[in-house]
Amino acid sequence: MLKVDIDNQVKQVPFELKGKDFITMADFEPNDIFFLLDQALEMKSLQKKGIPHPYLSGKVLGMIFEKSSTRTRVSFEVGMMQLGGQAIFLSSNDIQLGRGESVEDTAKVLSRYVDGLMVRTFAHESIEQFAKSADVPVINGLTDLHHPTQVLADLLTIYEHKGTLTGLKMCYIGDCNNNMCHSLLEGAASVGMHLSITSPSGYEPNLTIIEKAKQVGKATGSIVNYTDSPEEAIEQADVVVTDVWTSMGQEVEQKERIKAFTPFQVNASLCSHAKEDFIFLHCLPAHRGEEVTAEIIDGPHSVVFDEAENRLHAQKAILKNLMK
C-alpha cells in the first residue's frame, strides 16, 4: 500500500468517486490519485491470490473504439470480468455514431443501457461531449490530448519498483505535444514527482497543460520543466519514459518526425546520464531502433511489461470506484 505517500499527503480516506468521470488526471485531487493507486494495489493483490472480487456484479461497461487498441480493449474487458461485470465492445463503424448520429444522442441512448462508458477516440472534444451528455460515468481510454488510464498504471508501476513517488525525478523524452506527455505532466505534478520533459523544437507540450501542472506542483512540491536538451532532462533521473515518434493519424509525417527525433532516441549513451538504478517505461507499442533501442527496452532497466500489466489493475480501481 502507498503508506509513505499517503501518510504525507492523504489525510482522509476513502473518497467518494462514484458517478464521476475520468477524463484527465487533472479531474482528480492528489488525494484521489493516491487513493486510486491504493485501490489498484488491492485489486492486484486479490487477483494474484485468486480471491474473487465481484464488486461490479451485474454491471455493464460500454466501450466505444474509434482508435484501434490491444492493451486498452483487453485490460478493460478482463477487468470487468474479474469484477463480476461485463464489457461490450462497440466499434464506431458498427454503431450509428459512425453513420452520423451525434455524440450527444449516442451518449444519452447508451446511458439507458449500460452503467459506464469507456471511450477511445481522436479529438478530446468528443469525449468531453460524451461526458457532458451521458448519465453514467465516462472514462477516457485515450484521446489525442490525454491518456490518463495509462498514466495511472505508470504511477502504480513506478511505486512498485521504487517504493515511493514523491520526490522522484521522471524524464520524458520525445514528442511532448502528445497525450502521454500531457497526462504525465498532470499525474507527476499531482503526486509530487519532479518531471523534466524534452523534445525537438516544434514539438513542445500544450502550454495550458504545462502551466497548470506547474501550478499544481507548487502545492505538492513537484518541479516541472521543459528543455530541448535530452542530456539535461535525463540527468539523475529515477524514471525514463518515451513514446512512439509517430502516433496514429500522423503517418504522413513519419519521415519528417524520424529526422527531427533521432537525436532524442533513448539509448545506452543517453541513459548513462540517469541514475544507475533508473527504470524505463514505454506505453507500447514500441518501435525498437526508433524512439528506443532494444538494449534499453529489453534490458534490465525496463519495466514495460509490468507497466502493461498494471493497466488491468489501475483500470479496475477506476471502474470499481466510479461504477460501484
Side-chain angles (χ1 to χ4, degrees):
M1 304 292 277
L2 293 168
K3 293 303 181 185
V4 174
D5 291 316
I6 283 183
D7 287 345
N8 288 338
Q9 299 198 31
V10 180
K11 303 304 181 184
Q12 297 179 351
V13 292
F15 301 95
E16 185 53 67
L17 303 178
K18 182 179 178 182
K20 293 186 70 173
D21 300 314
F22 194 86
I23 307 302
T24 72
M25 294 295 289
D27 291 338
F28 293 89
E29 296 295 324
N31 286 0
D32 299 331
I33 299 298
F34 280 112
F35 177 66
L36 285 172
L37 289 170
D38 244 354
Q39 292 279 289
L41 287 170
E42 177 188 336
M43 298 294 99
K44 188 170 186 175
S45 177
L46 292 171
Q47 191 262 331
K48 295 297 183 183
K49 294 176 181 177
I51 299 174
H53 42 288
Y55 294 113
L56 297 182
S57 178
K59 301 288 187 180
V60 178
L61 175 72
M63 306 189 304
I64 298 176
F65 283 85
E66 292 190 295
K67 280 189 173 185
S68 59
S69 166
T70 298
R71 281 152 291 276
T72 299
R73 177 177 178 179
V74 176
S75 57
F76 269 107
E77 284 198 22
V78 172
M80 282 300 294
M81 292 177 188
Q82 292 182 358
L83 290 169
Q86 295 181 335
I88 301 175
F89 173 80
L90 301 167
S91 166
S92 59
N93 295 325
D94 298 330
I95 59 177
Q96 296 299 326
L97 184 65
R99 298 181 62 224
E101 184 171 41
S102 70
V103 167
E104 292 82 359
D105 286 356
T106 301
K108 289 176 182 178
V109 169
L110 291 178
S111 294
R112 303 295 182 100
Y113 302 142
V114 301
D115 303 287
L117 287 167
M118 188 285 298
V119 182
R120 183 177 172 92
T121 187
F122 291 90
H124 192 74
E125 293 77 10
S126 294
I127 200 164
E128 290 178 331
Q129 290 176 324
F130 265 104
K132 183 178 180 180
S133 302
D135 295 321
V136 296
V138 175
I139 300 168
N140 181 0
L142 176 143
T143 67
D144 288 342
L145 196 62
H146 289 280
H147 199 357
T149 55
Q150 176 67 58
V151 168
L152 191 67
D154 290 357
L155 296 177
L156 177 62
T157 307
I158 295 165
Y159 177 77
E160 286 183 318
H161 284 271
K162 292 297 184 180
T164 189
L165 293 172
T166 305
L168 293 180
K169 179 181 178 179
M170 180 193 296
C171 170
Y172 174 86
I173 302 172
D175 186 354
C176 289
N177 189 27
N178 83 345
N179 46 27
M180 275 304 302
C181 184
H182 293 153
S183 288
L184 283 169
L185 282 165
E186 295 180 343
S190 288
V191 300
M193 292 184 71
H194 308 310
L195 180 60
S196 184
I197 62 176
T198 181
S199 73
S201 177
Y203 298 94
E204 296 86 353
N206 178 286
L207 183 60
T208 300
I209 293 172
I210 190 171
E211 288 303 318
K212 286 184 177 179
K214 289 180 178 180
Q215 289 300 313
V216 171
K218 290 180 180 179
T220 63
S222 169
I223 300 173
V224 176
N225 72 284
Y226 170 84
T227 175
D228 61 3
S229 168
E231 291 80 11
E232 177 185 339
I234 202 173
E235 185 68 32
Q236 291 299 296
D238 299 284
V239 183
V240 178
V241 189
T242 191
D243 194 6
V244 294
W245 292 340
T246 307
S247 298
M248 284 179 282
Q250 299 172 336
E251 289 79 6
V252 295
E253 306 172 20
Q254 185 170 10
K255 290 184 179 179
E256 176 185 347
R257 283 173 168 269
I258 289 176
K259 182 178 179 180
F261 284 108
T262 294
F264 291 78
Q265 182 187 71
V266 178
N267 52 40
S269 176
L270 183 59
C271 288
S272 67
H273 297 274
K275 289 185 178 177
E276 290 187 5
D277 63 345
F278 81 91
I279 58 174
F280 172 76
L281 277 73
H282 190 306
C283 64
L284 303 178
H287 298 154
R288 289 166 174 80
E290 288 188 15
E291 72 272 8
V292 61
T293 60
E295 181 181 11
I296 296 298
I297 194 170
D298 299 320
H301 295 280
S302 177
V303 295
V304 298
F305 296 109
D306 291 344
E307 177 188 10
E309 178 191 342
N310 280 336
R311 288 291 302 277
L312 171 65
H313 310 299
Q315 286 159 190
K316 284 168 67 177
I318 296 167
L319 292 167
K320 174 196 171 188
N321 287 283
L322 269 62
M323 292 174 56
K324 65 183 179 181

